[in-house]
């Protein structure tokens, strides 16, 4: 991704550069006086767009912010956060620090993936300090410029969902290479990735409520999951992954007005009916929608982005 202030002319040539630190892993525990504790684990990536071309063309490192400094800053800022905060708020804090603390830095890009450590329950009671690891990750990307322009995106990676019925695929284009039969009864499974951009464009336009982004993340996740499955008794029929993807994105935009665009990627993970046959007996054992062969290679890949007309992608 090239930003407007990322390109300079050096010796008559366009030159783009940035540097940063990736995979800075940090965990933070917050302890309440009542004994209840909270835990997060973050994987942080930082990228600085800065005026340090001299380091590349004339062996002058005086304007480079050392990547080791970036790593140490992550730990120090995590320590400074005495109150529990969302992964988005921490990314904003880091982006603001690097952009405003160094005159040579014009833009900071911070990407963080949060592991889904969830509080466990024992004998029906939430445990004060016990957690288990879920499958998906909560992600964010924050871009903050010296001018004060802010862009915040959030997302989910690796959210695995499956329903055993109420899915089909019919009336698709066929040619001489098409072998796939039409069906109104199949398993629909995916490990989706979702990302959404907030309409906020400055620090001052963000609600000051604690863990606001965490609440919004949970709302979006619930909308995606509820739309995929439908009502608990009867469910909802999916005529294609494409149709379901669009409905999921549309529901997010219609219900969460601070979001300007949603991008979904939903690989179609296949569960193929297992039927045993030979050349002489084409139906030794015919299974009818009860025994399947799971396979994710190769798999279909379906991706789309839905945005409001006023949104800039």
């Amino acid at each position: 991704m090239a930003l407007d202030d990322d390109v300079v002319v050096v010796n008559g040539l366009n030159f783009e550069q940035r540097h940063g630190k990736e995979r800075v892993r940090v965990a933070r525990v917050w302890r309440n006086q009542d004994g209840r504790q909270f835990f997060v684990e973050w994987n942080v990536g930082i990228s600085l767009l800065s005026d340090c071309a001299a380091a590349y063309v004339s062996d002058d490192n005086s304007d480079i912010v050392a990547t080791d400094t970036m790593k140490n800053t992550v730990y120090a800022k995590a320590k400074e956060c005495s109150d529990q905060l969302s992964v988005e708020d921490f990314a904003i804090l880091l982006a603001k620090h690097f952009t405003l603390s160094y005159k040579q830095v014009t833009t900071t890009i911070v990407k963080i993936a949060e592991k889904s450590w969830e509080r466990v329950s024992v004998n029906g009671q939430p445990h004060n300090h016990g957690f288990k690891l879920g499958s998906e990750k909560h992600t964010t990307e924050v871009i903050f410029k010296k001018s004060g322009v802010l862009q915040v995106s959030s997302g989910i990676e690796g959210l695995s969902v499956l329903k055993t019925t109420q899915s089909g695929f019919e009336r698709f284009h066929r040619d001489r290479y098409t072998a796939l039969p039409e069906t109104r009864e199949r398993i629909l499974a995916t490990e989706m990735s979702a990302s959404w951009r907030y309409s906020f464009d400055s620090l001052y336009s963000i609600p000051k409520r604690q863990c606001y982004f965490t609440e919004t993340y949970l709302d979006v996740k619930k909308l995606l999951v509820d739309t995929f499955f439908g009502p608990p008794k009867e469910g909802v029929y999916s005529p294609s992954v494409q149709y379901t993807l669009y409905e999921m994105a549309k529901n997010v935009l219609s219900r969460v007005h601070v979001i300007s665009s949603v991008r979904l990627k939903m690989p179609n993970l296949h569960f193929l009916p297992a039927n045993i046959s030979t050349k002489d007996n084409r139906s030794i054992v015919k299974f009818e929608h009860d025994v399947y062969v799971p396979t994710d290679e190769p798999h279909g890949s379906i991706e789309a982005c839905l945005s409001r007309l006023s949104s800039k992608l």
Side-chain angles (χ1 to χ4, degrees), residues 12-256:
L13 300 171
N14 287 331
F15 179 59
E16 300 177 34
Q17 56 79 26
R18 64 183 67 186
H19 74 289
K21 199 76 166 180
E22 298 291 333
R23 300 181 63 82
V24 182
R25 297 180 61 185
V26 58
R28 182 64 159 96
V29 176
W30 290 280
R31 298 177 173 88
N32 288 356
Q33 292 182 350
D34 62 2
R36 194 173 177 84
Q37 303 192 8
F38 300 86
F39 176 81
V40 293
E41 181 182 348
W42 293 327
N43 192 326
V44 182
I46 302 163
S47 186
L48 303 185
L49 281 61
S50 61
D51 184 14
C52 64
Y56 294 85
V57 300
S58 62
D59 194 21
D60 179 359
N61 296 336
S62 59
D63 284 325
I64 290 183
V65 179
T67 65
D68 189 69
T69 301
M70 299 180 202
K71 176 201 68 178
N72 294 339
T73 301
V74 171
Y75 302 136
K77 290 299 179 184
K79 173 65 177 178
E80 291 176 10
C81 296
S82 56
D83 295 324
Q84 185 183 359
L85 79 168
S86 68
V87 64
E88 288 88 353
D89 284 321
F90 188 64
I92 292 170
L93 185 153
L94 289 175
K96 180 181 176 183
H97 167 82
F98 286 109
T99 301
L100 300 183
S101 297
Y102 303 98
K103 65 179 185 347
Q104 67 271 37
V105 175
T106 59
T107 303
T108 300
I109 303 170
V110 177
K111 297 181 181 181
I112 307 179
E114 176 179 297
K115 286 191 173 182
S116 57
W117 287 102
E118 304 164 351
R119 189 177 302 279
V120 299
S121 292
V122 177
N123 296 327
Q125 295 295 319
H127 201 283
N128 270 357
H129 54 266
F131 300 85
K132 63 182 178 67
L133 184 59
S135 59
E136 71 272 8
K137 293 180 180 178
H138 177 179
T139 64
T140 189
E141 179 185 69
V142 171
I143 301 175
F144 184 64
K145 296 187 176 185
K146 192 81 85 179
S147 63
V149 173
L150 175 74
Q151 179 180 307
V152 181
S153 300
S154 296
I156 304 171
E157 288 184 1
L159 178 59
S160 297
V161 289
L162 176 152
K163 58 183 186 178
T164 56
T165 189
Q166 286 284 53
S167 172
F169 191 49
E170 302 175 281
R171 302 186 304 278
F172 49 88
H173 176 80
R174 307 191 74 91
D175 58 36
R176 60 178 176 158
Y177 300 115
T178 303
L180 183 69
E182 296 189 358
T183 182
R184 288 189 62 83
E185 180 62 45
R186 66 173 183 172
I187 290 177
L188 178 59
T190 185
E191 185 179 294
M192 78 173 75
S193 297
S195 62
W196 54 92
R197 181 178 297 184
Y198 290 94
S199 56
F200 311 125
D201 58 5
S202 70
L203 292 170
Y204 307 103
S205 59
I206 298 176
K208 299 301 186 287
R209 191 166 73 249
Q210 186 183 28
C211 292
Y212 167 82
F213 286 108
T214 300
E215 294 173 4
T216 306
Y217 168 83
L218 293 174
D219 289 343
V220 172
K221 179 180 173 182
K222 185 177 187 302
L223 279 168
L224 294 173
V225 171
D226 289 355
T227 305
F228 179 88
F229 290 114
K233 294 291 186 181
E234 64 272 20
V236 61
Y237 182 71
S238 169
S240 67
V241 178
Q242 287 85 343
Y243 181 90
T244 299
L245 182 154
Y246 180 81
E247 289 295 303
M248 293 163 68
K250 184 180 69 174
N251 283 346
V252 169
L253 288 183
S254 65
R255 306 281 184 86
V256 188

